[in-house]
């Protein structure tokens, strides 16, 4: 099968997420990196693209040149990934969607709700994919959790507790590092730091696993290190569309913690919990019975988790393969759309409506916090 043509914008040398995209997209040999504009500095972009061994005619200094050079090629890109700072996502994604390209945008999809709605309308009108990289939804045991909840193993969901609290903002001496600085700058990051950077991941996991959306929320966004323009800690109470109680804590100030993403779901019959730093296991606590640890790769795993499972049980997989699962889902969907058929594999990548819903959550949290925690209703 011929590999799909893939382009990358951002993700240049030294970037945090560029390598994970390149590794995740190419590992299954479904996509091949053909073109890109990798760095905000045009010379560095060209240098980096050349260092990857790409055809020099398809390495560009800017995303606008990339668009111009790709749009009329017979072998044009099948998918363009946008891995640049948040405030650029809308303009770049819009331009590529308007030119008929499928897009895989980093989170948050945009920095305003109006922009997110416009991308949703645009992608739907054009029949194009506009996926959003909530990459944790690619982990097999997250997919297993989703499957168990949808099979009713926990009964009706009553309580959801998500946490994404790490220590990466605890040392303010890093604030001048160019890879950190843009995250505090509303011009580049948008209206939120930790809610947009981390909270949307945790909330997406809540919606992905429960199959429910966020209906309303009340938030307290706070800045613990003086002088930062955006929040570095957030506490959110929320309710889901089916009435479950939700609790979310997001922070960059949890000193010494490395990642700190966890999800706990409690229903009428039992609970499940998952930690990103131990992603191969799920803790299952059925009511009145012994607790169990469910392992990735074990017998009896759901078909969604089995499809995402690559390596023999006991050999850790990890983030690159979680991203690869999203790329594989997107490749299946691109091929299905080309042949006007339905993908035979489970297609679970977060789409533009998930991306829009998470922008809605971030904007509602900012609004609530500005109004002393007043509850906000979502669409
Ligand atoms: N899904 C995830 O797990 C995850 C993890 C980290 C970051 N992200 C998201 O990925 C995006 C990038 O984050 P990062 O941590 O890699 O940032 P970074 O600052 O480490 O890297 C950004 C890269 O984009 C390049 N760039 C900036 N503006 C550009 C432009 N106009 N054109 C082309 N290249 C440009 C920079 O030169 C750099 O190479 C952000 O939106 C962030 O929220 C997602």
């Amino acid at each position: 099968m011929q590999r799909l043509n893939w382009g990358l914008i951002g993700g240049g040398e030294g970037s945090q997420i560029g390598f994970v995209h390149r590794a995740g997209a190419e590992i299954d040999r479904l996509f091949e990196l053909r073109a890109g504009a990798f760095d905000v500095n045009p010379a560095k972009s060209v240098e980096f693209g050349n260092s990857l061994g790409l055809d020099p005619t398809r390495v560009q200094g800017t995303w606008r040149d990339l668009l111009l050079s790709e749009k009329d090629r017979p072998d044009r890109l099948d998918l363009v990934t946008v891995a640049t700072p948040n405030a650029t996502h809308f303009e770049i994604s819009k331009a590529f969607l308007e030119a008929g390209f499928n897009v895989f945008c980093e989170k948050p999809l945009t920095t305003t709700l109006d922009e997110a709605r416009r991308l949703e309308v645009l992608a739907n009108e054009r029949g194009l994919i506009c996926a959003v990289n909530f990459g944790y939804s690619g982990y097999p045991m997250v997919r297993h959790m989703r499957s168990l909840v949808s099979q009713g193993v926990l009964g009706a969901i009553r309580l959801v507790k998500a946490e994404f609290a790490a220590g990466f903002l605890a040392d303010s001496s890093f604030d001048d590092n160019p890879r950190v600085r843009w995250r505090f700058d509303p011009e580049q990051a948008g209206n939120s730091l930790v809610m947009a950077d981390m909270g949307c991941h945790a909330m997406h996991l809540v919606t992905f696993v429960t199959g429910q959306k966020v209906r309303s929320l009340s938030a307290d966004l706070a800045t613990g290190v003086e002088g930062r323009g955006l929040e570095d800690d957030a506490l959110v109470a929320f309710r889901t569309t089916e009435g479950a109680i939700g609790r979310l804590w997001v922070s960059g100030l949890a000193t010494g913690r490395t990642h700190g993403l966890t999800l706990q779901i409690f229903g009428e019959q039992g609970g499940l919990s998952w930690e990103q730093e131990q992603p191969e296991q799920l803790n299952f606590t059925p009511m009145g019975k012994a607790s169990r640890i469910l392992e990735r790769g074990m017998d009896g795993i759901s078909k969604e988790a089995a499809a995402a499972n690559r390596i023999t049980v006991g050999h850790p997989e990890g983030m690159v393969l979680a991203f690869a699962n999203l790329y594989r889902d997107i490749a299946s969907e691109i091929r299905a759309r080309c042949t006007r058929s339905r993908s035979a594999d489970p297609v679970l990548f977060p789409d533009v409506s998930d991306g829009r819903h998470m922008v809605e959550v971030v904007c509602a949290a900012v609004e609530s916090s500005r109004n002393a925690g007043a509850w906000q209703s979502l669409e």
Side-chain angles (χ1 to χ4, degrees), residues 9-18 37-41 63 83-86 88-89 92 106-108 133-136 178-179 182-183 197 201 319 323:
I9 302 174
E13 186 162 25
S15 66
Q16 187 187 357
I17 211 62
F38 304 97
D39 202 289
V40 68
N41 175 327
W63 66 263
T84 51
N86 304 354
T88 62
H89 293 176
I92 301 174
E106 261 305 343
K107 43 52 61 172
N133 190 27
F134 296 114
Y136 303 105
R179 280 182 46 199
W182 70 260
R183 295 166 204 274
D197 201 31
H201 270 306
M319 186 183 189
F323 275 37

Side-chain angles (χ1 to χ4, degrees), residues 4-47:
L4 296 166
N5 296 324
W6 176 55
L8 177 61
I9 302 174
E13 186 162 25
S15 66
Q16 187 187 357
I17 211 62
F19 169 77
V20 194
H21 278 285
R22 294 197 311 281
E26 297 207 281
I27 206 162
D28 287 310
R29 301 181 63 77
L30 294 169
F31 289 100
E32 180 162 355
L33 183 61
R34 303 267 189 210
F38 304 97
D39 202 289
V40 68
N41 175 327
K44 284 191 176 167
S45 174
V46 171
E47 191 184 331

Side-chain angles (χ1 to χ4, degrees), residues 3 12 42 46 70 132 193 208 230 238 244 272 278 286 316 338 376:
R3 292 169 77 178
V46 171
E70 288 293 322
V132 182
L193 198 182
F208 181 77
L230 294 167
F238 61 97
L272 281 167
Q278 301 289 333
C338 287
Q376 307 287 310

